[in-house]
Amino acid sequence: MTKATEIIALMESMRNERQREVLMRFFKTGEGEYGEGDEFLGLKVPQTRQIVKEAKGLPLEEVPELLTNRWHEVRLCGLLILVAKFEMLYKKKLAEDKEAIRKRDEILILYLEHAEYANNWDLVDLSAPKILGRWLTLPTSLTPTLTPKDDRDIRQQTIDALAFSDNLWKQRMSMVCSWMTSREGDPSWCLRYAEIHLRHPHDLMQKAVGWMLREMGKNVSMDLLREFLQQHVHEMPRTTLRYAIEKMDDQERRYWMKR
């Protein structure tokens, strides 16, 4: 498939009313809920992933039509196509290739321009770590010079723009993208955005912060996680704390919950 219209028509033909009702409840689409107004076709994620495999040849300029579509699953398909394209551009010794770097940055910019359409937690979680997070670990052509400071600055400015926006889903992007940087052994992104979002009032952000702290501890240093908890445990929402300490043993979990 090389046209967005072909993908949309195929996905609409697979509509499943029973599954649609299940998904609308699961993703909280009722009035006043976080997913209010989101519309579903009733496709399961493996069905969408299969379509992504069949759409390998879709030109990048066709993807925005998917990202802005009314249907949740079509937007997910567009995001997963961006993920697939991005992943192809750092494998097989392409990490330092100038043309691959340019194309990765092009995908990143497209992703950021349409970030508001990733308007539920699954759309964010399945895309942000693998595009934003991976971008933080790779060379970029978006820096004005080649100095390490400028390189760090442009990356931090990019994620800060999401973190300090008034959009819940952009804020979540800024947090969950650190899953990838922590996997690469760099805790700084997780710690920065965990502090920024530590007092966030929304349950979905409290869970995201705790989840990323847990992953940072697992992939980088449990002692670093304990140090963060020691400093912030008294101001941390209990939801965040529960997620952050989930992989600790029972005795240590009880210790932190009592604190």
Side-chain angles (χ1 to χ4, degrees), residues 152 178 181-182 184-193 216 220-221 224:
R152 175 76 184 200
S178 71
T181 51
S182 291
E184 295 294 320
D186 181 357
S188 63
W189 300 98
C190 175
L191 295 174
R192 173 176 175 78
Y193 295 104
M216 185 278 295
V220 182
S221 168
L224 196 56

Side-chain angles (χ1 to χ4, degrees), residues 212-228:
M212 290 301 105
L213 285 170
R214 184 185 73 217
E215 292 301 305
M216 185 278 295
K218 182 177 75 174
N219 288 290
V220 182
S221 168
M222 288 299 292
D223 286 339
L224 196 56
L225 172 57
R226 293 182 183 103
E227 183 179 320
F228 184 91

